[in-house]
Amino acid sequence: MQINKIAVLGSGVMGAGIAAHLAGCGADVLLLDILPSADDSAATADPSWRNKLPLAAVERIRTSRPSLVYSQKDIARIRVGNFEDDLSKISECDWVIEVVLEKVDVKQKIFRRIEPFLRPDAVITSNTSGLGWEMLAEKMSPAFKRRFLITHFFNPPRYMKLLELVAGTDTDTDAIVEVARFCEDVLGKGVVRAKDTPNFIANRIGATHIMDVMHLAQEMSWPIEAVDAVLGPAAGRPKSAIFRTADIVGLDTLAFVAETVFRRCPADEMHDRLKLPQFLAQMIAKNWVGQKSGQGFYKKDKETGAILSLDLSTLDYRPGIKFKTPSLGAVKDVPEAGRRLATLVFAEDQAGAIAWPAVSRMLIYSADRVPEISDDIVSVDRAMRWGFNWALGPFETWDALGVKKVCERLAKEGKDVPALVGALLESGREAFYERRDCKRYYYDISSKDMRPEQGVDNLIILENFKCANRVVAKNSGASLFDLGDGVFCCEFHTKMNAIDGDIVSMIHQGLDLAEKEGTGLLLANDGENFSVGANLLLILMTAEQGSWEELERIVREFQAVGQRMRFSPKPVVAVPFGMALGGGCELCLAAAARHAAAETYMGLVEAGVGLIPAGGGCKNLLLQLEGIIRGMHRPIDRIWFSPDDAGPYPKVRWAFENIAMAKVSTSAKEAVGLGILTKADGITLDRDRLIADARVALIKLAAGYSPPAKREDITLPGRGGKMAVVNALREFVRQGRATSHDAVVGEKLAHVLSGGDIPTNHTASEEHILDLEREAFLSLCGTEKTKERMRHMLTTGKPLRN
């Protein structure tokens, strides 16, 4: 079977989110819900009233922040209807996803209503967070059971990678395979096959861990900010950590998930910890259930805007506290999550007093759940990484802390070592994972031997290549990998992948090798972000020292590497993901092509620190936009640069809006709309597949590749175009929508994009625009207000409007 049309039954938070993601991935979606209550006679006279609920869901999708779709255009793929008028349309659908109230009887009622309309080859799945397949399929027909699965999406579906797939003993293998394939290949999901146990894998461990930490916080009188400081990014967890995560999820939802395990797993060793702490029960009774009610463990003071924290002992809100310890300070600049977590867990300070009991109890609980919830440790680790955004899953955490070291401490405390961990140690091994031959091997519980990790054969994981001695060059800022078939990969590893001289040097080395003996060069890495831009601290320090020749040298070298990438006889493919800002975006624009992750937040944001792009970003964006605008015109209809074509000004205006407003795409698809990426650039939904897909794209591009010719004929509008932009900018200042220094930066930018002081339309060379970029950049570095912006960004991480 092929999945093209999908029905989503239920338009609440999850139903709308699932429908949005399906549409964003190119599927045609039918979104259905119940009729609204007929309590308004005026409303019932409106034909659209019958579809009020799904229409409201579509509007929520349209206005969602962060956006639930990759592009607003995706919403057009969603049709709406209701259960009374439109159930017959389900017969057009290949896959039907039920997302109604989390009650067995309600779900079964829907199943019985839709079964007559299901196509014989259609698949029906339930998005439940913990109700079992056997419970839901009970009393349903054999034909229904054969095509019934559980597909547990995590919220919000666009951003959360995990999809837990649960099949029953009667489910057809073909249905399982096709749904898994579609979810992985089309939706970009990380599919984990879970057993039919309460809350499956991620929520079984994650929710139990959260509840246990809440009990510990009450018992040990830990302030909630202290817990979130320790069990957040410092420990390789999301910023929301424990208590903020509960607020985001909803305390009532968390209580429901915990209650599912409490009711269905009476023998669970954490059974008592799944009871609601008294403070949590009181909060739910008061409707202090988190973000959706305006307050939970945290709330915003309406008068001051300050974030207040809840005192668990009194249930009073108080000003937040800054929790600092030596170990938290020590891990601040440590890039590896495992090293950070080990430092905290074994620290002899207040952070360690929180981290050790919280983490060790989670490790024991997770090890004791195998094989109950999964037959392999890899699925457990993937579920926690993909579903809770942990940097390390439980068994990866055992390895990071040291299995023997954790067991020794448990023994000192009189605690039992889990049977699975004991079996590992008895086998003579001291870790659940090991890397060799560009692969990761895991401890298999059935054979008690190491087996290669499944489902990753087509992925490129740079860490595996490091262990296989495939690093051909390295310095403090970057590494160069041989990925085979003549493909080299330059990986950045500075802090936040900020571009510096080491990265520039390594790109040159990569080009040397690619041009001498290779196919091409990838700019890719496995970090959190592609690159947040140039090394701003270095720029500020050099400017404050007045070392203008040195600063000009730095800028020239950055421009030179971009030009070399652009004209190299071997193609360079940039592989952006996460943040690709400022100088990182400039490198992408200089590449022969780009292959981006769907979640790419890309833009030339230098104006936020009082600068303009000077690594070729202005010039290359102009050229790219020129190509896009040319492509909008058919030669038989118009002549390029004819009077009704507005001449060279459109690309200048478009580039100015992007740069002066520091526009950042909210997805790779939106970056195409901004002109930062092109329709020819590739997009991969699953971040884990990104480098492998980019490698394939590079090899394809390299066949018959020839670089562009250096442009000497870039048509620019001159002083007239500059003044058109500047006049609009001055009006913004007059209206209070831009500051005086915004105007200074904007005028410099307009000067560069328009080609300088030449009065009329003219042609310019690439080198001329690069000279203008460099001159404007250096002059802005000399202004005190730009230095203020740079200092503010470095100290607060936020732009300054001065």
Side-chain angles (χ1 to χ4, degrees), residues 99-117:
V99 202
V100 300
L101 195 63
E102 196 79 330
K103 291 185 177 181
V104 174
D105 60 335
V106 174
K107 291 178 182 291
Q108 288 183 337
K109 183 178 179 181
I110 286 291
F111 295 158
R112 285 191 288 270
R113 289 192 65 184
I114 66 172
E115 187 169 13
F117 302 105

Side-chain angles (χ1 to χ4, degrees), residues 179-192 685-686 689:
V179 170
R181 182 205 65 78
F182 184 86
C183 290
E184 289 176 340
D185 295 350
V186 180
L187 303 185
K189 291 297 172 188
V191 175
V192 170
L685 270 84
D686 183 352
R689 299 186 182 194

Side-chain angles (χ1 to χ4, degrees), residues 218-437:
Q218 184 177 42
E219 294 159 0
M220 309 297 286
S221 299
W222 294 338
I224 63 171
E225 306 97 315
V227 174
D228 282 354
V230 174
L231 298 179
R237 306 277 186 86
K239 289 181 180 179
S240 55
I242 298 292
F243 290 100
R244 287 190 189 278
T245 293
D247 276 355
I248 293 168
V249 170
L251 274 57
D252 51 347
T253 302
L254 175 64
F256 175 81
V257 173
E259 194 270 338
T260 300
V261 181
F262 181 81
R263 178 170 41 84
R264 295 179 58 198
C265 300
D268 190 298
E269 64 269 31
M270 285 277 199
H271 189 257
D272 288 345
R273 309 299 270 187
L274 292 163
K275 292 180 182 177
L276 298 190
Q278 186 177 12
F279 66 80
L280 186 56
Q282 291 175 319
M283 292 172 70
I284 293 172
K286 293 172 179 282
N287 197 35
W288 296 358
V289 292
Q291 284 187 353
K292 58 188 173 185
S293 68
Q295 66 186 99
F297 290 108
Y298 297 93
K299 80 169 183 178
K300 189 173 185 178
D301 187 296
K302 294 180 180 179
E303 294 182 3
T304 66
I307 302 299
L308 304 178
S309 306
L310 189 71
D311 186 312
L312 299 183
S313 62
T314 65
L315 287 191
D316 292 325
Y317 287 96
R318 52 166 175 74
I321 62 171
K322 295 288 185 182
F323 183 73
K324 296 181 179 180
T325 70
S327 60
L328 282 171
V331 303
K332 189 175 181 182
D333 293 321
V334 176
E336 299 88 354
R339 282 178 54 204
R340 295 199 305 271
L341 184 56
T343 299
L344 293 174
V345 164
F346 297 118
E348 295 183 358
D349 61 15
Q350 289 175 298
I354 294 172
W356 167 256
V359 172
S360 64
R361 291 165 66 88
M362 178 275 295
L363 293 179
I364 294 170
Y365 186 75
S366 300
D368 284 336
R369 298 282 69 73
V370 178
E372 178 193 348
I373 62 176
S374 174
D375 286 328
D376 66 274
I377 64 169
V378 176
S379 293
V380 175
D381 281 341
R382 288 176 177 175
M384 298 315 298
R385 283 192 280 110
W386 296 343
F388 277 74
N389 281 337
W390 291 6
L392 301 172
F395 296 97
E396 293 162 332
T397 300
W398 274 101
D399 284 1
L401 300 182
V403 175
K404 284 188 72 174
K405 189 172 182 179
V406 171
C407 289
E408 287 168 359
R409 183 157 176 182
L410 291 175
K412 286 181 181 178
E413 296 176 354
K415 295 175 182 174
D416 293 333
V417 172
L420 172 57
V421 181
L424 173 80
L425 295 174
E426 287 172 10
S427 73
R429 295 176 175 84
E430 296 184 3
F432 284 102
Y433 293 95
E434 63 183 44
R435 295 182 191 271
R436 62 178 188 266
D437 305 324

Side-chain angles (χ1 to χ4, degrees), residues 17-320:
I18 292 169
H21 186 61
L22 295 171
C25 296
D28 293 322
V29 181
L30 175 65
L31 181 61
L32 304 181
D33 211 327
I34 61 173
L35 290 176
S37 58
D39 55 1
D40 185 342
S41 58
T44 56
D46 181 357
S48 67
W49 165 84
R50 298 179 70 82
N51 297 331
K52 178 181 177 181
L53 297 181
L55 284 170
V58 170
E59 185 58 29
R60 292 199 308 273
I61 293 169
R62 195 183 313 281
T63 58
S64 59
R65 296 293 180 272
S67 179
L68 295 174
V69 287
Y70 296 111
S71 167
Q72 288 291 307
K73 294 179 181 179
D74 298 334
I75 299 173
R77 293 184 174 276
I78 302 175
R79 293 184 299 151
V80 300
N82 64 75
F83 293 160
E84 305 306 319
D85 304 327
D86 303 296
L87 276 187
S88 62
K89 294 177 181 177
I90 287 175
S91 62
E92 306 168 8
C93 298
D94 309 300
W95 180 14
V96 179
I97 307 172
E98 168 273 307
V99 202
V100 300
L101 195 63
E102 196 79 330
K103 291 185 177 181
V104 174
D105 60 335
V106 174
K107 291 178 182 291
Q108 288 183 337
K109 183 178 179 181
I110 286 291
F111 295 158
R112 285 191 288 270
R113 289 192 65 184
I114 66 172
E115 187 169 13
F117 302 105
L118 290 172
R119 283 212 327 252
D121 60 341
V123 177
I124 171 73
T125 71
S126 175
N127 180 72
T128 173
S129 60
L131 299 177
W133 187 97
E134 293 290 347
M135 297 170 64
L136 294 173
E138 187 183 11
K139 301 178 182 178
M140 300 307 299
S141 71
F144 184 94
K145 291 179 180 179
R146 282 195 296 272
R147 47 190 167 160
F148 177 59
L149 291 153
I150 289 171
T151 46
H152 180 208
F153 289 82
F154 276 63
N155 191 39
R158 169 184 163 180
Y159 298 97
M160 300 303 292
K161 180 174 177 175
L162 179 62
L163 183 136
E164 290 177 315
L165 185 65
V166 183
T169 54
D170 299 324
T171 309
D172 283 344
T173 300
D174 288 348
I176 300 169
V177 170
E178 178 57 22
V179 170
R181 182 205 65 78
F182 184 86
C183 290
E184 289 176 340
D185 295 350
V186 180
L187 303 185
K189 291 297 172 188
V191 175
V192 170
R193 288 288 302 274
K195 289 187 174 182
D196 191 16
T197 57
N199 288 356
F200 314 129
I201 298 175
N203 277 344
R204 180 69 177 275
I205 292 173
T208 303
H209 173 56
I210 290 174
M211 294 297 293
D212 183 45
V213 172
M214 287 185 177
H215 279 286
L216 286 170
Q218 184 177 42
E219 294 159 0
M220 309 297 286
S221 299
W222 294 338
I224 63 171
E225 306 97 315
V227 174
D228 282 354
V230 174
L231 298 179
R237 306 277 186 86
K239 289 181 180 179
S240 55
I242 298 292
F243 290 100
R244 287 190 189 278
T245 293
D247 276 355
I248 293 168
V249 170
L251 274 57
D252 51 347
T253 302
L254 175 64
F256 175 81
V257 173
E259 194 270 338
T260 300
V261 181
F262 181 81
R263 178 170 41 84
R264 295 179 58 198
C265 300
D268 190 298
E269 64 269 31
M270 285 277 199
H271 189 257
D272 288 345
R273 309 299 270 187
L274 292 163
K275 292 180 182 177
L276 298 190
Q278 186 177 12
F279 66 80
L280 186 56
Q282 291 175 319
M283 292 172 70
I284 293 172
K286 293 172 179 282
N287 197 35
W288 296 358
V289 292
Q291 284 187 353
K292 58 188 173 185
S293 68
Q295 66 186 99
F297 290 108
Y298 297 93
K299 80 169 183 178
K300 189 173 185 178
D301 187 296
K302 294 180 180 179
E303 294 182 3
T304 66
I307 302 299
L308 304 178
S309 306
L310 189 71
D311 186 312
L312 299 183
S313 62
T314 65
L315 287 191
D316 292 325
Y317 287 96
R318 52 166 175 74

